[in-house]
Amino acid sequence: MGKKVRVVVDAMGGDNAPGEIVKGALEALKIQKDLILVFAGQRRPLEAELKKYDYDNRRVETLFAEEVIEMAEPPVAAIRKKKDSSIVAGMNMVKKGGADAFISAGSTGAVLAGGQLIVGRLKGVERPPLAPLIPTAGGASLLIDCGANVDARSSQLVQFARMGATYMKYVAGVKNPKVGLVNIGAEEEKGNALVKETMPLLKACGDIHFIGSVEARDIPYGAADVLVCEAFVGNVILKMYEGTSSMLLREVKRTLMSSTRTKMGALLIKPALKKTLKSFDASQYGGAPMLGLKGLVVKMHGSSKAVEVKNSIIQCMDFSRQDLNEKISRQFMAGTAE
Amino acid sequence: MGKKVRVVVDAMGGDNAPGEIVKGALEALKIQKDLILVFAGQRRPLEAELKKYDYDNRRVETLFAEEVIEMAEPPVAAIRKKKDSSIVAGMNMVKKGGADAFISAGSTGAVLAGGQLIVGRLKGVERPPLAPLIPTAGGASLLIDCGANVDARSSQLVQFARMGATYMKYVAGVKNPKVGLVNIGAEEEKGNALVKETMPLLKACGDIHFIGSVEARDIPYGAADVLVCEAFVGNVILKMYEGTSSMLLREVKRTLMSSTRTKMGALLIKPALKKTLKSFDASQYGGAPMLGLKGLVVKMHGSSKAVEVKNSIIQCMDFSRQDLNEKISRQFMAGTAE
């Protein structure tokens, strides 16, 4: 048996809470023997949901919090005011060392604000980035930053690159991960002021395998293991990827249902097509970790179902087993290779 | 018969020059009775290419220029040095009033630099944006700016919005075009510094139909007719759209060819699928116009084939017939509605 890992699960966050959240977490419990779950949320719905399952109750705890932070609330104000919410109570438990990780499918803004204000940054980390894994034709790439830090500075981008490389190396198991800077062309003189300032800094970074500019066109093909960008651009990349895929698949599906002939064709290709599309399903990777905090915070998609919850928890286990925060801490304290 | 429109065609630019360029231009000549073509390029390859076709030679002229600007050359230096290139010679003709428009599939940097330095801005225009039409599930959206002005200011974004709306109204024929500002969330407080500064300015714009923030996720569904953003973000949007589509279609095609069963299915769905995908083919709209210049400059994709060249020329005809530059000029001189 390894080290026990205690994960606080926000049972109230997301479109499918608490049903899918509880379900997914209990699925993770079954396969992760060292996992201890702490469900944070309102007593009644939480207890009602837990009653539906059989599980090892020595490894399941509850943290009741009666307030709920809504998606539309101004994040910082919500974090400050709603002390008895699942997000604030759960993060406080992580902060105090009572748990290793916190996962939520709730308000992105509130989770990001809570991560910074409650859990707090590791020493030396300027800003903690949100870094989802996006599925590509080549496997998966870590998109860092993707929501936490608009108008970032070049020194922050360099930290993102280094944290991202460490994550991909130890949690995703990629040997010598390729780090690329998102840019609008491959030539040296291309880019905006931020990119031009960051480029030489990344080139000078001895502890990462920097491959230079990556154009957005090559991202879906898996051009780099770590894609470094500031949050506005990262958000646009993630959302364009999701939007374009879902729109195209909708159009393909419509086409397949458009006549008897195409419906017959659809029957023949369906199993193979399903398999192909499954490899592009982001939920297999779990949610997006917020890196550089004194504890792990994972933001799941608002529409997360059980499978994403389960995989997010597995991600927390790997993160914790690899002592990733210890490694990131050392990176920024010594400023040397990890 | 209407007003004659004289279009200079860069016969040397792009992966398929001069073959596809000449072919497409002569196709446009056949259907556009008021079109006069001026082919700019090296005498030998150009004459050799023109010999292959039968065409109305009273409406075809040549502008020989023996230098060629390569894709990798630093744009501004190339424009300054290579006076005898098709780009410089062709743009000079537009500048001097000898032609209405210039189209090229050559170096984007050189075309953008030439547009600014040679053709020159209309009075009142701060920076001329590059504005491709991107096909969406809803039709097409004008993405403005998409390559010309990284690190733009809010006042420039407001000009993009107004020029873009005028373009969509008169050239694309969209009544009361919806203008959206690309953002990372719909809530008021979302965005980076540039977006937050631009938002109230666009709201205060009396002459456009501003709909507020547009998230990247909704762009492929046709969320707005005019998508306003600075060039770095615009470029990422365009390239993510292209990259994601081409990667997904490659994966779908691979799947269809993976077994006998799927191959049979593919045969049944192929005609319908082709038709669906055709509606997302950007070449139907021609190249990207650079707006706000004292003449029209259209940048085509480097890989353009005849159909894109033909459609780019038709776009030039519509632009010129609608006196769009006159309309844009008035917009910025008076500062009032168009």
Side-chain angles (χ1 to χ4, degrees), chain A residues 257-269:
Chain A
M257 291 299 111
S258 63
S259 72
T260 312
R261 180 186 163 129
T262 57
K263 279 179 193 163
M264 279 166 58
L267 279 178
L268 292 167
I269 64 168

Side-chain angles (χ1 to χ4, degrees), chain A residues 137 151 182 192-193 215 217 220-221 232 239 241-244 246-247 250 255-256 261 267-268 272 276 280, chain B residues 137 151 182 192-193 215 217 220-221 232 239 241-244 246-247 250 255-256 261 267-269 272 276 280:
Chain A
D151 302 314
V182 176
N192 55 14
E215 274 200 89
R217 190 200 308 269
Y221 290 94
F232 194 96
K239 302 285 174 68
Y241 202 29
E242 289 176 357
T244 306
S246 78
M247 185 276 287
R250 186 191 73 172
T255 306
L256 293 181
R261 180 186 163 129
L267 279 178
L268 292 167
T276 299
F280 291 98
Chain B
D151 302 315
V182 176
N192 55 14
E215 273 199 90
R217 191 198 309 268
Y221 290 94
F232 194 96
K239 301 286 175 67
Y241 203 28
E242 290 176 356
T244 306
S246 78
M247 185 278 286
R250 185 189 74 171
T255 306
L256 293 181
R261 179 185 164 131
L267 280 177
L268 293 167
I269 63 167
T276 299
F280 290 99

